[in-house]
Amino acid sequence: MAEHIQILLKNIREKDYHRLEVYEKFGGYASVRKALEMDPLQIIEEVKTSGLRGRGGAGFPTGLKWSFVPRDSGKPVYLINNADESEPGTFKDRVLLERNPHLVIEGMLCAAWALQSNMSIIYIRGEYAYPYTVISAAIKECYQKGYLGENIFGSGFTHHMLVHRGAGAYICGEETALLESLEGKKGQPRLKPPFPAVEGLYGCPTVINNVETLSTIPWIVANGGAEYAKIGVDKSSGTKLVSASGHIKKPGVYEIEMGYPLLEFIENECGGIREGHSLKAVIPGGSSVNILTAEECKGVNLDYESCREHGTSLGCAGFMVLDDSVDMVEAVLNLAHFYAHESCGQCTPCREGGHWIEKVFARIARGEGLPGDMELIESVCAQIGGHTICAFGDTMVLPYLSILKKFAPEFRERIDAALKGLEVKRKMLNMEFDGAH
Amino acid sequence: MAKEISEKAEKRLAEIIEKYPEKRSAALPALYIVQEEHGMITEEGIKWVAERVGLSPVHVKELATFYTMFHEKPVGRYHIQVCRTLSCAICGCKGLSEYIVNRLGIKPGEVTEDGLWSFEEVECLGSCGTAPMVEINDTYFENLTPEKLGEIMDRIEKEKPDLSLSTINDKLGEGLKGHPRSEVYP
């Protein structure tokens, strides 16, 4: 295993690390003490210098996002920690919330001071009941100790924090849908502009950052943005949590330095592909990105630029490894069912198109595909991408189109078999229980 | 028969509303309380939420239908959610669903006659590294095989543990006593 600097996962194996006193014993809450003595704008500058980019998937520069918040609006500024982790293949934020909740809180406090925000909300997906109890208990500890509330660390700064549970909606990870949900509405994304930094929660300036992004802030405050920028590569600075799943020997969450070669990551960290099988494909960024064939994985490094150069995206690094046992027709149908189910229903192309595509993939999988079905799917995809309010529509077509293109023979074979009336052997998924077909 | 909302729930909601800058934000927490009180989202519950958080009943009803964790019909005392999305699918979640169907004789969305079990297949639960897995009430059970799921269900039938967030809170992570909570990092 390669030695990677550990910023987020350091110490998490220590017993009771989720408890405040243990966290402090290892140096916790030193950063927020330091931050409170700094000029808030200086912290934003440090974060800009660090090159830190949003870890929720979009990779937008965090410091820049913070600098969009008007400092003289006369309205309260809200800080939202997006813990609605729902992208298929992603489970990294859960580790931070369960094992390192005080790092999450400390990061939020540093950010809150930088933004001069007196209130933050952690929006956590409803299914994360255990992480919810852990982070809630950590917040309670902070209130008891005076690390949250009024006059934090004697600085005169007031900050309140609460945890809000979602209730089962993938789309609420989209920042404006999250805001709608927080306001007691259906999670349906807003048109941008106005951007949340100017007009967010209750019409007030709001910053929404991912759990991992915020958890990085204490290190940057402690060591300086320039030090952080030295880690990783070029425009992808720092470390990244990768959620590795699928047909590997050691699935789990790994903290790697940006720029780590993808295939080495599989071999050196994940223990390689399971016995008796070989690599077929990797979806590196969570399901909403282009798939890479085994051949295409060569030369790809795990950072934003390298992934983009190779026609995919690092996203939130929900790294799914598929071996040669996977039937790609079934795999894409599985994802098509996901997106059809999770569309919020606001925009017609996404709401209707998602279901049409699922139906066509399903009939191909059942062995009832028609000649022209592949082109039909491409045509429907073309009418979704770019025609919706949020990025859901744009990104759901990425796995469809890339899988269809890169594994075309598997689809053709299935459609040809249907034409000849041959029986199709389905081996993988439990579509028959979905009730949608 | 009209269902009541307990005094305790009234008090809890009042405390929750206090914490939010605007009370409509307490709509989802309020719906969770209704579900705990009534086992599902009832009409009475919707009216109660609407009144307390200052929204119209139809708006609250919309929320209850939009968010999948709210049940509009009764579920079993133990509600199993089998994750069906890609990582779980390629790691064998089909076997878990088949096991449940065979054991309980119910299909997704159904409840057993004795009201003990219900099950459904759901989208990614954020447990891909420990696939396949299920969530029973508010507790995750990970790295499963049909056999392991069978043992867990045997124990639940025998011990009738509380696996819900609302009542056991801090101890939630322990799941079934003696049943190890899996590690999500290597």
Side-chain angles (χ1 to χ4, degrees), chain A residues 13 164 166 182 202 245 430, chain B residues 20 25 32 59 67 87 121 186:
Chain A
R13 284 164 210 273
H164 183 94
L182 257 181
Y202 314 125
S245 70
N430 40 345
Chain B
Y20 287 95
S25 291
Y32 272 119
H59 180 116
Y67 294 97
S87 289
E121 291 189 330

Side-chain angles (χ1 to χ4, degrees), chain A residues 362-385:
Chain A
R363 78 181 179 211
I364 298 175
R366 282 200 306 271
E368 295 165 10
L370 304 171
D373 270 357
M374 291 167 71
E375 293 75 15
L376 177 62
I377 288 168
E378 283 170 4
S379 138
V380 178
C381 286
Q383 292 170 65
I384 298 174

Side-chain angles (χ1 to χ4, degrees), chain A residues 330 333 365-366 414 424-428 431, chain B residues 94:
Chain A
E330 303 276 3
L333 173 57
R366 282 200 306 271
R414 203 66 82 93
V424 169
K425 277 199 186 121
R426 302 183 65 183
K427 55 184 175 183
M428 191 176 93
M431 285 299 153
Chain B
K94 180 180 180 172

Side-chain angles (χ1 to χ4, degrees), chain B residues 116-154:
Chain B
L116 191 64
W117 296 103
S118 55
F119 111 97
E120 63 180 331
E121 291 189 330
V122 298
E123 301 302 339
C124 189
L125 289 173
S127 193
C128 322
T130 42
M133 58 82 65
V134 304
E135 180 173 15
I136 303 180
N137 295 354
D138 289 320
T139 304
Y140 278 23
F141 295 94
E142 306 172 286
N143 286 321
L144 294 179
T145 59
E147 293 71 34
K148 278 194 211 165
L149 177 60
E151 286 164 24
I152 289 164
M153 289 175 72
D154 288 344

Side-chain angles (χ1 to χ4, degrees), chain A residues 265-307:
Chain A
F265 174 68
I266 294 179
E267 282 311 312
N268 300 347
E269 314 296 323
C270 305
I273 307 296
R274 63 178 177 161
E275 281 318 319
H277 291 273
S278 60
L279 178 65
K280 182 169 185 175
V282 171
I283 305 180
S287 65
S288 312
V289 305
N290 285 324
I291 198 167
L292 295 169
T293 63
E295 187 60 29
E296 287 172 329
C297 288
K298 288 175 190 162
V300 179
N301 300 329
L302 294 171
D303 62 69
Y304 297 111
E305 277 67 41
S306 177
C307 283

Side-chain angles (χ1 to χ4, degrees), chain A residues 287-364:
Chain A
S287 65
S288 312
V289 305
N290 285 324
I291 198 167
L292 295 169
T293 63
E295 187 60 29
E296 287 172 329
C297 288
K298 288 175 190 162
V300 179
N301 300 329
L302 294 171
D303 62 69
Y304 297 111
E305 277 67 41
S306 177
C307 283
R308 203 182 56 213
E309 278 161 26
H310 288 83
T312 184
S313 167
L314 184 64
C316 52
F319 191 86
M320 292 187 274
V321 180
L322 314 182
D323 75 13
D324 54 11
S325 70
V326 176
D327 176 336
M328 296 311 290
V329 181
E330 303 276 3
V332 76
L333 173 57
N334 182 284
L335 293 179
H337 183 75
F338 173 83
Y339 290 104
H341 181 263
E342 296 296 346
S343 170
C344 80
Q346 186 173 207
C347 310
T348 312
C350 170
R351 181 187 64 236
E352 302 299 323
H355 285 283
W356 292 355
I357 289 174
E358 187 197 356
K359 278 183 187 162
V360 179
F361 275 132
R363 78 181 179 211
I364 298 175

